[in-house]
Amino acid sequence: MGRGQAGNSKVSAFCISALFLTFLLPLVSAAGGGAVIDVSTFSLQDFATIEQSSYDLEFTVEEILSSDAEVEARVALSTLDGTLFDSMSQNFTLTADSSQLLQFSLVSLPFGYSVVSVELVGELGSPNSTQSLSLNRTIHHLRPIEISLAAEGQILLNGLTPEGALTGNVSIHDGDYLQTEIAVINDGDFSWAGYLTSSLLSNNVYDNQTSSLVTVAPLSSTIVQVNSTVAVYEGTATLALELNNSGDGHPADESRQVSFEVSSPPLPFLSLSVELLTQDALAGDDLTWDLNISNTGSVDFNGHLACSFGSQSLFDAQIQVPLESSIVESLVSTSRPDLLTCSVSGMRINTNSIANISLAHDVESAAFESAGSSTPALLNGPWHKGDIAIFSMLIRNHGELSGTVSLVCETNGISYSSNGLLLDVDAAGEITVEVPLGIEGQQTVNWSLISTDGSIDSGLNGTLIVPVAIQQTLTPKITSVTWDAELGTQFSWSLDMSEGIDRPVRIRLGYTDSGLESYPLDYVVTLSPGFSTGTHTLGFVNAERVSIRATAVNWTTGFSFSSHSLSVPDDRPAYSVEFDPISVPNRPIPGDSGTITVRLSNSGDVDGRTGYVVLSTLGGAFLGEEQTLALPSNSQEDYQFTFVWPDYQSVSFKATWIVGDDSFTATNTFQSGEVIVEDSSFSVPWVGLFGGLMIAVAVGAIIRIFQNRQVGTSNPKPVKEQSKSKITSSTVDVEKIQVGCPECARQLRVPSDYGGQVRCPDCSHRFDVTPRTDQSREHTEDEDETPEVVSDGKVELHCPECDQSLRIPDTYTGSVRCPACEEVFSAE
């Protein structure tokens, strides 16, 4: 049984070996057919690219030995390294001298490169240059876009200076700007373009940035840099990076969030030490210390050093301590029991630095305490902005030695100190200091006691709140300005002071002339809040404007105008004086009484003032004076002067009107009348009258005879004799009197018994005359009675320029000069 089994095993192994060897032997058609692949019909080009995961492979197999052939076509798919991942085959019979198109569907092709191997097995021919029994082609299945950001560990963070240069430090420090470097990876076979956004959070401050357009080639990566616009702060900072949507369907790898620590900046490491150089100084002597400041840090120190001895500041300025070096500052004060303190600031330093130092100094001296209230008293209130507050305090010396103490008040960064008060042991005194108040509302004042040779008890310092009201204001105003002829320029003013306390104020009242200010009234008065008013008379000054100025005396006012002005009215009286050209009588007889009228006028829009007018001759002879009333505006007034007419043919007069400081003058010339001497009786010329009558009768008779002759002599008519009128005459002596024309005042001489109308020969005016006696004269019916005119042998002319009347001899034909206006004209 066992041997039989062993034999069977050997037989089986031999059969299997023989079968395997048959695969190694070429298949040779017994009939001798031959199949080959037509290379030109192979559809797959070497390294062809496809976007899909399948491909339809086609090629043609030809029979070239003119005999049927049994053929198997095999297709194998493998990776570039030879790993087979798919295979397929197809058996067919190829008839003699024929060809057959074979098709294979290649599916599930992986991304990347795959090798496609095609081989014919069976009855095969011998291929030529265009034929083949097997072919190998590489096909590339393109990957779609696959974008991602580098892993968190591959993100590089760098520190930048404010100027944008790399700091060179391994870590990020406080105050650095952040530069981020990250790779954008494209695992696809297509190019990608997009943007990277960065969001930095440090100390609750965000900085959001977006990169410029980023382009990544297929199967490659690009480094993108983003610089922050804000500095980072010490502590933990967070950085979020994200690509815009790539569309690859895997957004998880397109964003990263990184947390990182920001280290403290490079800092100075300072150490302060002090040494007292004057160990044996007594109270009040000079004390000197040397302060040493060293820097053993990593950067220079550039900051502030402040040292004080009690309340006294010894040093307060900027200092520089270079890296790995030290400086020494000398501090000087006076010896007294107190504490020296020094500190640095203004720049961050290492936390292990010795930045503050204190040193107590003890010596026998004065010691000061409050002798009453432990806080200063505030005097001189209530207060307004700009006022001075007085701080007062009682101090006692309870030390071993006498000493000096002062009160110091500080407000708004400014210190105010009282004068030093020297106190013996157990003595007390008052110290005061004045502090200006410049803040409305509540002003904080820090106070303390200082001494150069004594100690100050604890608690003698503090802060006081001073209530400060708004500044009081002064508002001056001119309320009205008037001008009149009696007082000149006068104005009313007001001054408004806002609520508060009584204040001294300087008031100036005056005027402006040609740009120059003048203040005749200048005085200081204490005003209470509210309105103050007054009236001031400047008088007759040349003023264009009147003004008031109000200024505070030893206090400050709020914003307001310190002066005000108004224009002086331009209206003034317009005075003029003239003569009435007609005297009364018209031509007064020298030695008789004559009257001249002087007319005063005010053509202005303002009432005038009182004055007086004086009448005199041009030679200066005084004739009269009249007081004048104040003339209203646009009015006139006549004043008459009656006097004995001077013994001249023509008299020139001068009228002078005095109004205040002004005077106005007018002149005029008047003609005098002539004295006519006449007989006391008058006889009628009867001989002349009868002679003339007879001549007239004779002439009439001759004319009548001549007319009768022209008619004819056939029928003569008798001529009646004309009866002659008997004229009765008698000689009567009648007195003549002078009558003045009411129109022009011309003197006419008429019989005293005449009654009726009289015609003036100068102005042709007719007026009635009343008889002065009871005598009556007989007149014929056709006879008119005409008064006798006294002729003085002169004619009257009128000046063509001023219409002045002149009387000249009637025989004169030359030129005439008007005595009033000096016009020369012809007498003809």
Side-chain angles (χ1 to χ4, degrees):
M1 179 64 84
R3 189 178 292 178
Q5 292 177 350
N8 290 336
S9 300
K10 292 180 180 180
V11 173
S12 299
F14 176 77
C15 291
I16 293 172
S17 299
L19 181 60
F20 177 73
L21 291 175
T22 60
F23 284 101
L24 298 177
L25 296 176
L27 297 179
V28 180
S29 173
V36 293
I37 300 174
D38 185 357
V39 176
S40 62
T41 63
F42 202 78
S43 63
L44 181 61
Q45 300 296 321
D46 199 13
F47 290 99
T49 60
I50 60 173
E51 296 184 8
Q52 304 299 324
S53 62
S54 62
Y55 182 77
D56 292 333
L57 179 64
E58 296 180 350
F59 59 89
T60 300
V61 179
E62 298 177 344
E63 197 286 315
I64 62 173
L65 297 180
S66 303
S67 179
D68 295 340
E70 296 293 333
V71 183
E72 180 183 4
R74 298 177 180 176
V75 176
L77 301 175
S78 62
T79 62
L80 288 178
D81 60 3
T83 302
L84 181 66
F85 62 83
D86 196 7
S87 64
M88 60 195 72
S89 63
Q90 186 176 344
N91 295 312
F92 58 92
T93 299
L94 188 62
T95 59
D97 298 323
S98 65
S99 62
Q100 184 174 345
L101 178 63
L102 299 182
Q103 294 182 339
F104 291 91
S105 293
L106 308 180
V107 296
S108 301
L109 292 174
F111 291 116
Y113 293 93
S114 299
V115 177
V116 179
S117 300
V118 177
E119 181 183 17
L120 295 180
V121 179
E123 295 178 342
L124 306 176
S126 298
N128 57 22
S129 59
T130 61
Q131 299 170 346
S132 179
L133 297 179
S134 63
L135 291 172
N136 289 329
R137 295 288 187 269
T138 300
I139 187 171
H140 185 195
H141 183 191
L142 297 176
R143 294 176 180 270
I145 292 176
E146 178 60 37
I147 298 297
S148 63
L149 290 174
E152 181 178 345
Q154 297 175 332
I155 300 175
L156 182 61
L157 303 179
N158 299 314
L160 296 177
T161 64
E163 292 76 22
L166 292 172
T167 61
N169 297 325
V170 176
S171 58
I172 307 298
H173 292 270
D174 185 279
D176 290 347
Y177 288 76
L178 180 66
Q179 182 186 79
T180 304
E181 294 186 5
I182 186 171
V184 180
I185 302 170
N186 184 3
D187 290 327
D189 292 316
F190 296 91
S191 179
W192 178 85
Y195 298 92
L196 175 68
T197 59
S198 169
S199 179
L200 173 65
L201 173 61
S202 178
N203 194 29
N204 295 323
V205 177
Y206 281 94
D207 179 42
N208 297 317
Q209 299 290 322
T210 300
S211 69
S212 58
L213 184 66
V214 178
T215 302
V216 186
L219 298 176
S220 65
S221 63
T222 298
I223 301 299
V224 180
Q225 289 184 348
V226 179
N227 296 339
S228 69
T229 60
V230 298
V232 294
Y233 296 88
E234 183 177 357
T236 302
T238 302
L239 177 66
L241 302 170
E242 185 175 1
L243 293 172
N244 64 312
N245 186 17
S246 65
D248 63 0
H250 301 89
D253 58 358
E254 297 175 8
S255 63
R256 297 286 184 265
Q257 182 165 320
V258 181
S259 295
F260 60 96
E261 292 296 323
V262 179
S263 303
S264 61
L267 301 174
F269 190 106
L270 300 183
S271 295
L272 275 65
S273 61
V274 66
E275 179 185 3
L276 177 62
L277 302 181
T278 52
Q279 297 286 346
D280 300 329
L282 300 177
D285 293 344
D286 288 341
L287 281 180
T288 303
W289 297 270
D290 277 348
L291 175 67
N292 183 280
I293 307 141
S294 62
N295 180 10
T296 57
S298 53
V299 294
D300 297 344
F301 175 77
N302 186 1
H304 186 266
L305 171 65
C307 293
S308 60
F309 187 49
S311 58
Q312 180 188 8
S313 176
L314 303 182
F315 191 95
D316 191 355
Q318 294 290 115
I319 62 170
Q320 290 183 345
V321 185
L323 179 65
E324 300 298 334
S325 65
S326 62
I327 63 172
V328 176
E329 298 290 347
S330 180
L331 307 176
V332 178
S333 184
T334 55
S335 179
R336 62 184 182 274
D338 225 324
L339 182 67
L340 173 69
T341 60
C342 293
S343 62
V344 291
S345 61
M347 182 179 180
R348 185 177 175 184
I349 61 178
N350 192 290
T351 56
N352 295 322
S353 298
I354 303 175
N356 300 282
I357 190 172
S358 299
L359 179 65
H361 181 72
D362 190 18
V363 67
E364 287 188 355
S365 65
F368 300 100
E369 63 180 359
S370 64
S373 174
S374 59
T375 59
L378 274 71
L379 307 178
N380 203 30
W383 306 274
H384 294 259
K385 182 180 177 181
D387 288 347
I388 302 295
I390 298 178
F391 291 75
S392 175
M393 195 171 185
L394 292 176
I395 303 300
R396 175 178 174 272
N397 179 10
H398 64 95
E400 296 89 357
L401 302 173
S402 62
T404 303
V405 64
S406 299
L407 174 62
V408 176
C409 293
E410 181 274 329
T411 181
N412 300 328
I414 303 176
S415 295
Y416 304 89
S417 179
S418 68
N419 295 325
L421 175 64
L422 177 62
L423 294 177
D424 292 332
V425 178
D426 293 331
E430 180 185 13
I431 50 178
T432 60
V433 61
E434 295 182 349
V435 178
L437 304 175
I439 298 177
E440 296 177 1
Q442 304 290 329
Q443 181 163 340
T444 301
V445 179
N446 300 313
W447 66 275
S448 61
L449 295 178
I450 62 171
S451 174
T452 58
D453 53 5
S455 63
I456 306 297
D457 286 3
S458 62
L460 294 183
N461 56 62
T463 300
L464 293 176
I465 304 298
V466 182
V468 183
I470 62 174
Q471 284 182 314
Q472 287 179 270
T473 59
L474 287 174
T475 306
K477 186 177 181 180
I478 301 293
T479 57
S480 65
V481 184
T482 60
W483 189 98
D484 61 52
E486 295 295 334
L487 298 176
T489 302
Q490 187 178 41
F491 63 93
S492 298
W493 57 269
S494 67
L495 183 57
D496 181 18
M497 187 166 73
S498 62
E499 293 184 4
I501 61 176
D502 294 351
R503 302 277 190 177
V505 178
R506 180 186 181 188
I507 299 176
R508 288 179 286 175
L509 304 174
Y511 60 94
T512 302
D513 179 24
S514 301
L516 299 178
E517 294 183 349
S518 178
Y519 294 98
L521 187 59
D522 187 341
Y523 63 99
V524 176
V525 64
T526 300
L527 293 182
S528 299
F531 274 98
S532 299
T533 60
T535 300
H536 181 60
T537 300
L538 290 172
F540 298 94
V541 296
N542 293 324
E544 299 169 357
R545 302 178 69 86
V546 296
S547 59
I548 177 175
R549 284 189 176 274
T551 54
V553 179
N554 297 326
W555 60 282
T556 57
T557 64
F559 175 76
S560 61
F561 293 103
S562 62
S563 65
H564 187 251
S565 66
L566 282 181
S567 298
V568 177
D570 295 330
D571 296 333
R572 296 289 185 275
Y575 297 122
S576 63
V577 58
E578 62 181 354
F579 283 94
D580 188 327
I582 305 300
S583 62
V584 178
N586 186 28
R587 288 178 175 80
I589 302 299
D592 290 350
S593 176
T595 300
I596 290 179
T597 301
V598 177
R599 183 169 293 115
L600 308 181
S601 301
N602 175 13
S603 60
D605 295 329
V606 179
D607 294 346
R609 62 182 301 186
T610 59
Y612 60 94
V613 59
V614 177
L615 180 66
S616 65
T617 65
L618 282 181
F622 176 79
L623 299 177
E625 177 180 329
E626 292 285 342
Q627 297 295 322
T628 61
L629 300 176
L631 279 181
S633 62
N634 297 308
S635 66
Q636 63 183 16
E637 187 73 26
D638 290 344
Y639 291 86
Q640 294 182 341
F641 293 86
T642 301
F643 50 90
V644 176
W645 196 262
D647 189 9
Y648 297 102
Q649 183 178 2
S650 62
V651 185
S652 295
F653 297 100
K654 175 182 177 182
T656 304
W657 185 16
I658 310 298
V659 183
D661 296 332
D662 299 324
S663 63
F664 306 90
T665 303
T667 60
N668 201 359
T669 301
F670 294 86
Q671 299 298 321
S672 302
E674 294 183 359
V675 179
I676 300 176
V677 179
E678 297 181 344
D679 293 336
S680 60
S681 63
F682 176 74
S683 61
V684 179
W686 298 109
V687 177
L689 291 176
F690 281 112
L693 179 62
M694 294 303 292
I695 293 172
V697 171
V699 172
I702 293 171
I703 295 172
R704 183 71 175 175
I705 292 170
F706 181 75
Q707 289 177 346
N708 292 335
R709 287 179 180 180
Q710 289 180 347
V711 174
T713 59
S714 58
N715 295 317
K717 293 181 179 180
V719 179
K720 294 182 178 180
E721 291 184 3
Q722 182 179 1
S723 61
K724 297 180 182 178
S725 299
K726 293 182 179 180
I727 302 175
T728 304
S729 64
S730 63
T731 302
V732 179
D733 293 333
V734 180
E735 180 186 3
K736 292 186 178 182
I737 61 175
Q738 283 190 348
V739 177
C741 174
E743 183 68 22
C744 65
R746 172 71 182 270
Q747 299 297 307
L748 307 180
R749 294 180 62 84
V750 298
S752 61
D753 59 349
Y754 175 76
Q757 281 196 341
V758 178
R759 179 178 178 274
C760 177
D762 284 350
C763 63
S764 300
H765 177 69
R766 293 181 178 273
F767 58 97
D768 293 329
V769 176
T770 303
R772 300 289 181 90
T773 65
D774 295 335
Q775 294 180 340
S776 62
R777 300 180 58 186
E778 296 181 356
H779 303 280
T780 62
E781 295 179 357
D782 298 330
E783 183 181 10
D784 292 333
E785 180 72 19
T786 303
E788 180 184 359
V789 177
V790 179
S791 175
D792 56 2
K794 294 184 180 181
V795 296
E796 183 171 358
L797 299 180
H798 293 277
C799 174
E801 182 67 22
C802 65
D803 203 31
Q804 172 72 33
S805 64
L806 308 174
R807 291 182 61 80
I808 62 175
D810 53 4
T811 59
Y812 180 74
T813 60
S815 297
V816 180
R817 179 186 298 273
C818 176
C821 65
E822 305 296 329
E823 175 71 14
V824 177
F825 59 95
S826 174
E828 294 179 354

